[in-house]
DNA sequence: CACAAATGTATTGTCCGACAATCCTAATAT
DNA sequence: ATATTAGGATTGTCGGACAATACATTTGTG
């Protein structure tokens, strides 16, 4: 039998440059914070021209594995949950996700998140939630922007306290997607300030008591309240987010 | 008072190129499937050199907004849930997410997903689940790879049936992250075939009956079963995925 | 006429060289 | 010792060049 050759790798050079660097990062040869060689250096190492190296770098850059640090040198960076959330929510927006889809997912995730939080939240995390609640309490009842900020921040701090980066990334991406629309809702909901404050207080109480069922139940009520707001504000749930 | 100037936009040209194209895609001027001008054309339109245009394109490319289609021309593409899931799971792996975090999130999401599915799954989606179950039933009890494939596919089809792209993206990214480790677990679990088959059958039954509580409960049992597998297989839950 | 082969053309991929802008480092002056 | 200045290193941008490839058109052949 005649010898069989493997199919040749005909990917463009800039893709190979990207992959080569990415591989060394993934395999741990290049640890977080490590400085990459200069472009000129990469040219001689890979044996290609600077144009190709630069195009390869752009590919890496967008995936968040690398960024320009001090001295403009490229620094290896491991993606943080917040960044993952950002690109994910961004992609979903571009992919045509609707308010309805986002809100439904929110309604599915956060009650469970509250339940888990009840069994795990540290005192620090609880304190952060109380701070948010206190901030909201002291806000003017008609300062819609401020109220929205505190409402989202409450979700944010709850997610933070779960001590699980995967959950955090998912919850954060929901926060980002829902943020804009909450503004509309709270703007047109009577007593929004009072109702959100009440919900936050009850949720905190349940979390303090390590009462998983209560935490979940109050979070559901909180979200159900927001849902009613969507109806009142006549937000079109089939409209694309962002 | 003297006039105040806005801070100048000092971003590199290639970034501006990327943003300019992205903006037109986002605003709908460039719809999905539309062909972008050639590089030479972009050069004259933006008034920059091809090097800069090409670097800008690389940035866009990695974010999945654009890809090389027929005739090598750049085509506008809106990100699909599966692609979002892929980049998200990839980023999480690079970000150092652990098996424990992924599994915990899985255990949080899928029971709720099953609950929602019970109230909504179409006959087609149910049929797809049955197909998976039947495939698993006919598989050899010691064909670990095949069993893993069907176990993941079951999750996959359930997520598909939810008819919610945001949920789908999140569940899919979990599937991708958990896939590799399930292989280890199922390999070392006695009666894995039988137990998974049983769980799938019960879940399908509950879905058919539109029984949300049952669907959720059986999914929880199913996942709890998998969790025991992790213990038996002595998988280190603090190890990074991938 | 239909279909295959050859040709031409447009576009991308890669290379080279050059220079301005920026930042870091180190020598110098006060 | 601190501030300033000069120098060097590195990135950002430019311009042009050519090979490789894919597409469109023409040409050749049955």
């Amino acid at each position: 039998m005649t010898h069989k050759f493997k199919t040749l790798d005909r990917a463009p050079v800039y893709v190979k440059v990207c992959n080569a660097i990415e591989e060394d990062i993934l395999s741990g040869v290049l640890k977080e914070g490590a400085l990459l060689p200069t472009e000129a250096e990469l040219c001689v190492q890979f044996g290609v021209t600077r144009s190709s190296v630069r195009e390869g770098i752009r590919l890496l850059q967008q995936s968040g594995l690398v960024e320009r640090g001090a001295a403009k040198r490229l620094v290896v960076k491991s993606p943080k949950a917040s960044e993952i959330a950002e690109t994910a929510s961004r992609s979903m927006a571009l992919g045509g996700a609707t308010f309805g889809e986002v809100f439904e997912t929110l309604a599915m995730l956060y009650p469970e998140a509250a339940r888990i939080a009840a069994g795990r939240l540290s005192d620090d995390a609880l304190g952060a939630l109380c701070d948010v609640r206190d901030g909201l309490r002291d806000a003017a009842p008609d300062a819609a922007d401020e109220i929205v900020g505190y409402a989202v921040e409450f979700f944010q701090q709850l997610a933070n306290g779960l001590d699980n980066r995967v959950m955090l990334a998912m919850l954060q991406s929901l926060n980002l997607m829902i943020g804009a629309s909450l503004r509309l809702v709270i703007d047109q909901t009577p007593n929004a300030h009072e109702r959100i404050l009440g919900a936050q207080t009850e949720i905190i109480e349940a979390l303090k008591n390590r009462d998983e069922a209560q935490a979940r139940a109050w979070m559901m009520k909180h979200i159900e309240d927001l849902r009613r707001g969507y109806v009142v504000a006549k937000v079109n749930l089939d409209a694309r987010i962002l």
Side-chain angles (χ1 to χ4, degrees), chain A:
Chain A
M1 169 162 121
T2 60
H3 181 68
K4 282 189 181 165
F5 294 98
K6 285 188 293 186
T7 59
L8 294 176
D9 178 9
R10 285 161 50 89
V13 174
Y14 58 84
V15 173
K16 291 183 187 171
V17 168
C18 172
N19 290 339
I21 301 177
E22 182 176 296
E23 198 172 315
D24 272 5
I25 295 177
L26 190 51
S27 71
V29 177
L30 287 168
K31 300 183 199 310
E32 173 159 18
L35 269 78
L36 265 67
T38 64
E39 293 179 356
E41 185 65 23
L42 290 172
C43 291
V44 308
Q45 289 188 23
F46 287 123
V48 299
T49 51
R50 204 151 76 94
S51 313
S52 302
V53 166
R54 285 175 64 84
E55 290 188 36
I57 290 175
R58 299 298 161 250
L59 288 177
L60 263 181
Q61 208 166 306
Q62 195 68 355
S63 65
L65 269 179
V66 107
E67 73 179 355
R68 292 245 175 254
K72 295 268 189 178
R73 292 282 293 276
L74 285 173
V75 182
V76 177
K77 194 188 61 162
S78 81
K80 299 281 168 287
S82 60
E83 291 158 346
I84 298 172
E86 204 167 329
T87 67
S89 62
R90 194 175 167 65
S91 298
M92 301 243 207
L94 294 169
T98 65
F99 285 128
E101 289 173 307
V102 174
F103 194 85
E104 188 182 46
T105 310
L106 192 87
M108 161 176 154
L109 284 193
Y110 266 101
E112 287 299 304
R115 179 179 61 74
I116 293 177
R120 162 181 318 175
L121 231 52
S122 70
D123 289 343
D124 281 355
L126 254 172
L129 284 177
C130 288
D131 289 346
V132 175
R133 193 263 323 267
D134 293 345
L136 176 62
R137 169 159 37 76
D138 300 341
D142 56 349
D145 279 331
E146 215 176 334
I147 297 178
V148 171
Y150 283 118
V152 173
E153 183 67 14
F154 190 81
F155 284 129
Q156 197 77 22
Q157 290 300 336
L158 185 73
N160 262 322
L162 291 175
D163 194 34
N164 180 322
R165 284 166 294 183
V166 178
M167 284 188 196
L168 177 59
M170 293 187 175
L171 295 173
Q172 271 188 338
S173 71
L174 287 175
N175 290 348
L176 288 172
M177 290 189 275
I178 209 73
S181 66
L182 270 187
R183 175 74 170 78
L184 296 175
V185 172
I186 290 178
D187 226 6
Q188 304 196 20
T189 306
N191 305 329
H193 179 263
E194 178 190 343
R195 289 155 78 172
I196 295 175
L197 183 60
Q200 287 188 1
T201 304
E202 295 287 356
I203 292 171
I204 288 176
E205 197 59 30
L207 293 175
K208 269 185 186 159
N209 297 333
R210 299 269 179 258
D211 188 335
E212 297 190 352
Q214 277 294 329
R216 183 172 189 277
W218 275 107
M219 180 59 86
M220 280 183 71
K221 278 192 196 175
H222 181 30
I223 291 178
E224 179 55 35
D225 215 31
L226 292 177
R227 185 200 302 279
R228 274 197 292 274
Y230 275 83
V231 178
V232 171
K234 293 201 176 67
V235 172
N236 179 9
L237 292 179
D238 290 333
R240 292 178 47 166
I241 60 174
L242 200 158

